[in-house]
Amino acid sequence: MFVRTEAEDGHVRKNGIDVRQLYPWDGVVTPPWNSTFCTVRPHESSTEHAHATDETFIFTAGSGTVRVGDELRPVTQGDVIYIPHGNAHVVTNTSDDAPLTFVSVYWLQPTASEEPARG
């Protein structure tokens, strides 16, 4: 068993929110994806950004909104959002006093030459 704690890892500010890197994880298996645990402080938003990776958000606590392009949706604990690569997105915490937390899992889509043969 391998264990890391939040106290050991700490957080950094990235894209306007608090981020704890989960994967890659030195010394353990390297999955084909990366992930972070993210916290949006009350009445704050991530900076609008887009990237080359597809991304899934799994909301673990709090409430707020996610905007992808021109579409705005409310989110709360248990909600899951998928964001295809290249789409600008913003996560906003609408609470007065509780953090909005989520796990972000992100990966590059394989190119046509990297995809396994079907048949």
Side-chain angles (χ1 to χ4, degrees):
M1 177 186 307
F2 297 85
V3 177
R4 291 172 25 194
T5 66
E6 182 175 14
E8 292 169 335
D9 285 349
H11 290 90
V12 297
R13 287 292 277 183
K14 183 176 180 183
N15 294 324
I17 64 175
D18 300 312
V19 176
R20 174 183 173 200
Q21 188 71 43
L22 302 175
Y23 283 94
W25 181 344
D26 290 338
V28 300
V29 66
T30 303
W33 41 265
N34 293 329
S35 63
T36 55
F37 187 81
C38 304
T39 302
V40 185
R41 298 172 187 174
H43 290 291
E44 290 190 0
S45 297
S46 64
T47 55
E48 183 175 28
H49 64 283
H51 33 76
T53 55
D54 286 28
E55 190 167 24
T56 295
F57 295 157
I58 305 163
F59 289 88
T60 58
S63 61
T65 61
V66 174
R67 181 171 52 82
V68 178
D70 293 331
E71 185 177 3
L72 181 68
R73 299 288 301 250
V75 292
T76 191
Q77 181 179 341
D79 290 352
V80 178
I81 302 278
Y82 167 70
I83 304 167
H85 63 279
N87 285 279
H89 50 281
V90 175
V91 180
T92 300
N93 183 343
T94 56
S95 171
D96 291 330
D97 56 6
L100 174 61
T101 60
F102 62 97
V103 174
S104 169
V105 180
Y106 52 99
W107 64 95
L108 287 170
Q109 288 291 346
T111 63
S113 63
E114 295 173 328
E115 290 183 13
R118 300 183 195 269

